[in-house]
Amino acid sequence: MSAKPPAADPIQDAPSVTEPMSAAAGPAAIAHAMKNAQRQMGVRRTALTLLRVNQHEGFDCPGCAWPDPDSPHAFEFCENGAKAVAEEATLRRVTPAFFAEHTVEDLAGRSGYWLGQQGRLTHPMYLPEGGDRYEPVGWEMAFDLIAGELRALPDPDRAVFYTSGRTSNEAAFLYQLFAREFGTNNLPDCSNLCHESSGAALTETLGVGKGSVLLDDLHRADLIIVAGQNPGTNHPRMLTSLEKAKAAGARIITVNPLPEAGLERFKNPQTPRGLAGGGTPLTDLFLQIRLGGDQALFRLLNKLIINRGGAVDTPFIRRHTHGFEAFSTVARAADWEETRRATGLSRTDIERALAMVLASRRIIVCWAMGLTQHKHAVPTIKEVVNFLLLRGNIGRPGAGVCPVRGHSNVQGDRTMGITEKPDAAFLDALGREFGFEPPRDPGFDVVESIRALRDGAATVFFAMGGNFVAASPDTAVTEDAMRRARLTVHVSTKLNRSHCVTGARALILPTLGRTERDVQGGGAQFVTVEDSMGVVHTSRGRLRPAGPRLLSEPAIVCRLARRVLGESSATPWEEFERDYRGVRARIARVVPGFEAFEERVARPGGFTLPHAPRDERHFPTATGKANFTAAPVEYPAVPEGRLLLQTLRSHDQYNTTIYGLDDRYRGISGGRRVVLVNPEDAKELGFDDGAYADLTSEWTDGTERTAPGFRVVHYPTARGCAAAYYPETNVLVPLDATADGSNTPTSKSLVIRLTPTAER
Ligand SMILES: Nc1nc2c(c(=O)[nH]1)N[C@H]1C(S)=C(S)[C@@H](COP(=O)(O)OP(=O)(O)OC[C@H]3O[C@@H](n4cnc5c(=O)[nH]c(N)nc54)[C@H](O)[C@@H]3O)O[C@H]1N2
Ligand SMILES: Nc1nc2c(c(=O)[nH]1)N[C@H]1C(S)=C(S)[C@@H](COP(=O)(O)OP(=O)(O)OC[C@H]3O[C@@H](n4cnc5c(=O)[nH]c(N)nc54)[C@H](O)[C@@H]3O)O[C@H]1N2
Ligand SMILES: [Mo]
């Protein structure tokens, strides 16, 4: 199988390469943010908008899910937050005239970058069966079309309702309610591609699938381990917290195959020292691990802790945990030689890490996609939990698990019931509140949805945000599956690839973004979101909407629900659309932790959801205790002459949204088709820096997938490992290559070989 990049891409991909940087942010970051924002929004709008980001009376940054401090700076944003805002608040528009000019085939030949640069969607658009381009359509007609298709289905499970993580709590709650009243739990979401492994591991071991630390804990920790995360690019405001933690005496261990600039040194643009000086060094110990070696690393550390007399917290283990004996038996079998093979780390490195662990009473482990997107992601995260449990680091101030979420409300969407595997208690409460019998069978996750579309088991695809075909694995398979649908519908702010690879008929429904005013019959509305640490707060946009025809996400769901469900639904959809307070009143009655929602969310900074392990060392697991687990150690096997490839983000993108062609901290500019390879490996394989290679992934079932034409960059990554950007490399990820226990695509461990690119 091979997939060509879009053919007629007018953007020249010609990467040039300099030395990677060793510090993040600083004045250059502000300058970049401003330049980019002014290009999209002009000077006045830039100033007005950026001042409102993450303020108590402002809107929640549509960038990442990192929490806001109690008293935000006047400029509580970062370079990449500013880019996310500019991308949405841009003055450019994609109008019906644009669609009249461009056929769908033409659009399908453009790069994702080009599509995104065209601006905000302004009109509902319809692609009729057999048509070659989208045409404007009225909202009522659009809802009729969708209702017609949905009602004609022989079974509600033939429809799939995807969600991306920017959707507010209110919209998410309404959306899942609509899907379930319609009769299906087919509610896949971007979590399936993201932190699903964290949720699975934490639910089994601690009883709650979320992080157990608050911002304050980070500032009180003795030791923070950041494993498999690049906060300098993806959660830049986290660097401020790490800096604060260091100032209070914390030490930081970074575990990563790549030396990432942000973790090396941080120049805080909010302090004089960060603006003028060399910044703060963050990482005290850098463990340059091989891709997929983390479980082995933590297992050996666990053995060494157990063997060290008095190092484990015996009273905590006795009182609060289960399975310690079985775990310690297995852990004792860990050995140095296997750990070295799995991790590539030296004994000295690991002994240094151990000494830092033993010297620390309060330890936090932070992680993101570097741990979640592997075949053995779930056991890896469970091993991190074992590590923390051994020394009582759960439910103690300054300690705990900190999975750092991606999308700004991806955690809240789950809390609101966006999941294909709802628990019975949630369904009971929902059914009781709205007087219907919710479906009980589990629905499709992302990978299962693709299979269902491919096999004809699902024929209608509806997306609340996101860019499903570009974010999903196995691009050729996914696109082919999408083309088999009867109808594809996208509620979107910006044009993307998923609008160009459609079912027989397709709709684009333009919606308001976070930055925009949302006025309904009941007056000006706000929405709420939940950050990565379980803090729920309001978000209020102030800008005039990108066009008069845009509807908010809650309004779209309410109108669609009325049209599809008709008399059969007793839910007051019209009232919900008029005034979101009505929605919040229902959330308060259905979702635990949201009692007195309206009142508590009105307080500056909002409120923190309860978290039993954190708050009271109560573990709502099957055993009623925190569970040690004893999975066998795994790590990827890489045959001779092959490399292990991770697919990651550049500094100039938000997932499938490409802001620009530079990856400043890594020294790459003007192009994205690059593959970073350790210089020793590159030499052994016969690739000079600057040579061009095709990347071919080799999957266990014998199939191969190729992405052609990548510039080889000699880069200081761990031996045997390589890195290239997503989504260009999604063609290489087999649909069936997923994590055990979470079904998340293994985007961080693909066995590949390089072959010289024949012609360019
Ligand atoms: N500006 C910006 N912000 C974003 C996003 C964005 O695209 N742009 N995306 C958002 C989303 S949805 C998410 S989920 C997060 C993603 O945030 P990250 O997880 O930081 O994103 P990635 O670029 O995938 O980076 C993965 C990191 O893990 C390391 N890594 C890879 N494999 C391994 C491994 O096996 N072991 C270890 N120890 N390290 C490994 C990589 O070298 C890299 O540093 O960011 C969110 N924030
Ligand atoms: N190979 C590989 N694949 C990956 C990953 C990886 O690391 N490697 N990471 C995975 C991860 S962590 C994630 S989270 C997924 C991301 O998958 P998605 O969430 O599906 O993708 P995004 O690129 O974030 O979606 C961008 C689109 O969302 C729309 N949008 C933006 N804001 C709004 C809004 O407020 N409302 C609505 N309705 N629409 C909006 C815009 O039209 C924009 O084009 O990708 C996954 N795919
Ligand atoms: Mo994500």
Side-chain angles (χ1 to χ4, degrees):
M1 248 175 280
S2 93
K4 280 209 221 98
D9 187 349
I11 308 289
Q12 195 62 23
D13 199 287
S16 65
V17 176
T18 56
E19 285 295 299
M21 293 165 65
S22 60
I30 296 194
H32 276 272
M34 286 301 173
K35 207 172 96 197
N36 179 69
Q38 290 176 6
R39 205 167 57 222
Q40 299 279 354
M41 304 193 276
V43 177
R44 203 182 107 83
R45 198 170 163 92
T46 296
L48 280 177
T49 316
L50 294 186
L51 280 172
R52 298 251 183 234
V53 186
N54 295 335
Q55 301 299 312
H56 290 327
E57 285 295 299
F59 62 89
D60 182 57
C61 179
C64 71
W66 190 254
D68 308 327
D70 283 340
S71 27
H73 279 277
F75 259 171
E76 191 58 40
F77 71 93
C78 61
E79 176 189 354
N80 279 346
K83 288 185 202 158
V85 168
E87 187 75 18
E88 179 178 302
T90 180
L91 294 168
R92 301 176 190 166
R93 296 289 176 269
V94 173
T95 60
F98 171 92
F99 286 104
E101 249 174 66
H102 298 279
T103 62
V104 174
E105 199 189 324
D106 166 7
L107 296 176
R110 309 284 179 156
S111 70
Y113 178 43
W114 187 91
L115 293 172
Q117 287 299 304
Q118 304 312 304
R120 285 288 299 276
L121 295 157
T122 57
H123 288 64
M125 301 297 300
Y126 176 50
L127 177 68
E129 189 152 8
D132 74 342
R133 65 198 76 203
Y134 280 95
E135 303 161 359
V137 63
W139 279 106
E140 298 313 308
M141 178 72 180
F143 292 128
D144 280 344
L145 281 160
I146 304 168
E149 284 288 350
L150 287 177
R151 293 170 94 157
L153 292 176
D155 174 351
D157 287 334
R158 300 243 175 151
V160 167
F161 298 94
Y162 176 68
T163 313
S164 166
R166 270 192 196 170
T167 292
S168 65
N169 289 335
E170 288 77 0
F173 185 78
L174 292 169
Y175 186 53
Q176 61 82 31
L177 175 62
F178 160 63
R180 294 193 166 112
E181 284 196 31
F182 175 66
T184 184
N185 283 315
N186 288 343
L187 285 156
D189 74 336
C190 66
S191 267
N192 298 144
L193 306 170
C194 184
H195 266 293
E196 195 70 61
S197 306
S198 307
L202 295 177
T203 304
E204 184 185 330
T205 55
L206 301 179
V208 179
K210 299 182 181 181
S212 76
V213 301
L214 298 171
L215 212 42
D216 228 33
D217 292 311
L218 220 73
H219 303 150
R220 288 206 239 172
D222 299 323
L223 178 66
I224 301 169
I225 302 180
V226 183
Q229 194 200 346
N230 177 22
T233 285
N234 297 314
H235 307 91
R237 288 180 304 117
M238 177 175 168
L239 300 185
T240 311
S241 305
L242 292 179
E243 186 184 40
K244 204 167 158 188
K246 284 220 72 161
R251 295 207 279 174
I252 297 176
I253 300 178
T254 292
V255 188
N256 203 308
L258 295 173
E260 303 280 31
L263 286 169
E264 290 180 60
R265 219 164 233 289
F266 173 49
K267 298 186 184 178
N268 189 340
Q270 267 127 13
T271 63
R273 183 158 172 230
L275 280 177
T280 315
L282 291 181
T283 296
D284 296 282
L285 176 66
F286 174 42
L287 299 180
Q288 187 162 33
I289 199 165
R290 285 210 180 140
L291 289 167
D294 303 82
Q295 188 198 8
L297 168 65
F298 280 101
R299 177 62 59 87
L300 183 66
L301 284 173
N302 288 340
K303 165 183 168 158
L304 299 173
I305 293 169
I306 292 171
N307 284 352
R308 182 69 59 108
V312 301
D313 184 341
T314 309
F316 172 82
I317 291 175
R318 284 224 185 95
R319 193 141 169 231
H320 296 291
T321 73
H322 174 268
F324 174 69
E325 285 310 320
F327 170 65
S328 59
T329 308
V330 171
R332 284 202 180 90
D335 78 85
W336 286 101
E337 183 43 34
E338 186 173 38
T339 310
R340 197 194 53 72
R341 272 200 305 275
T343 64
L345 298 172
S346 70
R347 186 163 180 147
T348 325
D349 278 344
I350 295 178
E351 277 170 348
R352 278 201 192 119
L354 178 69
M356 287 167 75
V357 169
L358 294 175
S360 308
R361 187 168 145 69
R362 295 178 295 262
I363 305 181
I364 289 175
V365 183
C366 302
W367 72 89
M369 297 305 99
L371 296 201
T372 66
Q373 297 176 332
H374 289 280
K375 179 174 183 296
H376 58 307
V378 177
T380 298
I381 297 163
K382 286 192 199 165
E383 198 62 29
V384 170
V385 173
N386 288 336
F387 167 78
L388 290 168
L389 290 177
L390 277 181
R391 288 172 53 80
N393 276 306
I394 300 284
R396 167 201 285 169
V401 284
C402 183
V404 183
R405 304 278 162 179
H407 271 296
S408 51
N409 197 40
V410 61
Q411 185 158 317
D413 291 347
R414 273 290 160 92
T415 308
M416 292 298 118
I418 300 289
T419 168
E420 75 286 355
K421 293 183 204 70
D423 61 48
F426 176 83
L427 292 180
D428 292 344
L430 192 71
R432 218 179 303 123
E433 180 65 26
F434 292 96
F436 76 110
E437 188 41 57
R440 299 279 165 170
D441 291 342
F444 300 137
D445 64 14
V446 165
V447 165
E448 290 160 349
S449 296
I450 296 166
R451 289 193 189 120
L453 288 160
R454 178 193 65 193
D455 302 339
T459 54
V460 175
F461 176 85
F462 188 104
M464 184 57 75
N467 184 1
F468 188 88
V469 301
S472 293
D474 226 345
T475 314
V477 173
T478 297
E479 294 196 345
D480 179 59
M482 202 51 82
R483 290 196 161 102
R484 289 171 194 237
R486 295 256 332 126
L487 174 70
T488 50
V489 185
H490 287 88
V491 178
S492 309
T493 52
K494 305 280 299 261
L495 195 62
N496 67 42
R497 176 98 189 142
S498 299
H499 305 124
C500 316
V501 179
T502 70
R505 301 197 281 166
L507 281 159
I508 301 175
L509 306 180
T511 192
L512 297 177
R514 283 277 169 81
T515 53
E516 289 163 325
R517 277 200 293 275
D518 181 356
V519 181
Q520 302 294 340
Q525 305 294 317
F526 65 83
V527 292
T528 62
V529 293
E530 174 185 341
D531 69 29
S532 203
M533 294 179 177
V535 178
V536 180
H537 62 88
T538 59
S539 177
R540 254 187 206 90
R542 305 278 172 160
L543 296 179
R544 186 183 324 142
R549 285 186 181 73
L550 304 194
L551 290 183
S552 73
E553 289 182 354
I556 292 173
V557 178
C558 289
R559 292 189 194 190
L560 180 64
R562 278 167 60 204
R563 199 64 51 94
V564 175
L565 305 171
E567 296 298 304
S568 75
S569 173
T571 301
W573 297 104
E574 239 176 308
E575 267 173 53
F576 285 166
E577 178 182 343
R578 258 181 57 76
D579 194 333
Y580 305 165
R581 281 180 300 188
V583 185
R584 286 188 288 273
R586 301 304 190 99
I587 293 172
R589 292 159 60 93
V590 172
V591 187
F594 283 80
E595 300 76 18
F597 187 9
E598 194 70 34
E599 185 190 315
R600 287 193 297 152
V601 85
R603 296 179 198 150
F607 64 94
T608 304
L609 289 172
H611 186 290
R614 179 194 67 207
D615 303 338
E616 43 191 310
R617 285 195 160 173
H618 168 68
F619 299 93
T621 59
T623 61
K625 305 251 169 144
N627 291 318
F628 280 98
T629 49
V633 167
E634 287 175 67
Y635 54 97
V638 187
E640 222 6 70
R642 307 293 189 265
L643 296 171
L644 205 55
L645 176 77
Q646 62 157 322
T647 62
L648 44 42
R649 292 152 174 82
S650 85
H651 193 61
D652 253 4
Q653 73 183 87
Y654 194 91
N655 299 335
T656 68
T657 299
I658 310 302
Y659 302 136
L661 301 181
D662 302 342
D663 193 1
R664 204 167 74 249
Y665 297 154
R666 298 198 185 107
I668 290 155
S669 57
R672 294 179 44 87
R673 291 187 86 80
V674 291
V675 59
L676 315 184
V677 184
N678 179 291
E680 300 302 314
D681 291 321
K683 274 177 219 148
E684 275 178 31
L685 297 171
F687 287 87
D688 290 338
D689 184 273
Y692 274 78
D694 296 347
L695 315 183
T696 298
S697 67
E698 301 175 354
W699 174 232
T700 49
D701 67 359
T703 56
E704 297 193 337
R705 291 158 178 80
T706 296
F710 285 72
R711 185 200 186 280
V712 175
V713 179
H714 287 193
Y715 200 89
T717 181
R719 282 302 304 267
C721 301
Y725 303 132
Y726 128 77
E728 287 81 349
T729 44
N730 286 39
V731 292
L732 300 174
V733 188
L735 187 63
D736 295 334
T738 60
D740 300 332
S742 70
N743 214 24
T744 297
T746 60
S747 312
K748 297 287 190 275
S749 50
L750 303 168
V751 172
I752 60 159
R753 62 172 192 271
L754 306 188
T755 43
T757 299
E759 51 180 288
R760 295 202 341 107

